[in-house]
Amino acid sequence: MKPNRAIVGYIGLVAVGILLGALVLFGAANKEFSYLNDFVSKLGAIGEPNALWWNLTGFVLVGGLLFAFGMLYGLLLSDRLLAVLLSLFGIGFALTAIPMDMDVSDNAVSKAHIVVICFGLAFWLFGLSRLGYNPHLEKRVRKRANFTAIVLVLSMLGFVLGWWSMPLTHRLVFGIVFGWTAITSLELIGSPNSPVDKKG
């Protein structure tokens, strides 16, 4: 039996909502945090105020919801590999709760924080690729996945080419990942009886 589309959508939307709410709340509580210039990871970094609560809420809780969303979305599409890839992204996001040391970027915890971000994002991109090239899915689902993957790669390329800073790249990546999650979730909620795949 496939998961309920609307429930899957609500899980994804709640993940997005909690992340945005936590970002506003903890960002405002940290007088040294800049929404424009700082990494989001700074909110949970060693020595920052409310770091533990940000890590538990903004990373662990949201990551757990992304794990559930990814797993259920893959099962909804009858694609177990997609379920594994997207759920691994959720695990990677949750593990970014390993606090960075903003003063010493090459110590063990800082490296671990960066590694889990990279691995999580890689799994998410593989998941999008799986979505984009699955002929059994509706065209809109495949086109959205391919477009999102291209925009994500371009945002990273912009940093490599020196067009914008790493903190801005960080914001773009967050916006792209959670933008896709929000749009996909709203589609699932808005048309709970509409099949996502051509076989219905």
Side-chain angles (χ1 to χ4, degrees):
M1 179 186 258
K2 289 186 178 182
N4 181 281
R5 283 172 56 99
I7 291 176
V8 178
Y10 280 120
I11 291 172
L13 209 56
V14 168
V16 175
I18 290 177
L19 177 75
L20 292 176
L23 185 57
V24 171
L25 177 65
F26 289 102
N30 187 336
K31 302 303 180 185
E32 309 229 339
F33 178 76
S34 168
Y35 286 103
L36 293 177
N37 301 315
D38 286 326
F39 294 103
V40 172
S41 298
K42 179 177 179 179
L43 292 172
I46 294 171
E48 294 294 323
N50 305 307
L52 175 62
W53 293 109
W54 161 261
N55 286 327
L56 290 175
T57 306
F59 287 145
V60 175
L61 177 57
V62 172
L65 289 168
L66 291 174
F67 170 84
F69 172 79
M71 180 65 72
L72 293 174
Y73 187 60
L75 295 177
L76 181 65
L77 300 182
S78 302
D79 190 333
R80 291 184 179 179
L81 178 56
L82 176 65
V84 170
L85 291 171
L86 293 182
S87 62
L88 284 173
F89 164 66
I91 292 174
F93 193 87
L95 288 175
T96 55
I98 299 170
M100 259 194 100
D101 187 331
M102 302 303 290
D103 297 320
V104 185
S105 60
D106 62 347
N107 64 15
V109 291
S110 295
K111 288 179 179 177
H113 181 90
I114 294 168
V115 165
V116 293
I117 289 174
C118 293
F119 272 108
L121 204 55
F123 286 125
W124 190 74
L125 271 173
F126 287 137
L128 286 188
S129 177
R130 177 80 176 176
L131 274 173
Y133 292 98
N134 186 340
H136 298 298
L137 297 181
E138 288 289 338
K139 194 172 184 179
R140 70 181 184 279
V141 175
R142 289 185 281 121
K143 288 178 80 172
R144 181 166 62 238
N146 288 329
F147 175 77
T148 304
I150 290 170
V151 172
L152 183 67
V153 171
L154 288 176
S155 71
M156 294 178 174
L157 188 61
F159 167 71
V160 172
L161 296 175
W163 294 345
W164 46 71
S165 67
M166 178 52 88
L168 179 55
T169 304
H170 199 242
R171 298 293 188 280
L172 290 172
V173 169
F174 262 68
I176 292 164
V177 171
F178 285 92
W180 176 85
T181 304
I183 291 170
T184 301
S185 298
L186 287 170
E187 183 179 70
L188 293 173
I189 295 167
S191 52
N193 298 316
S194 173
V196 182
D197 55 70
K198 293 177 181 177
K199 297 179 290 184

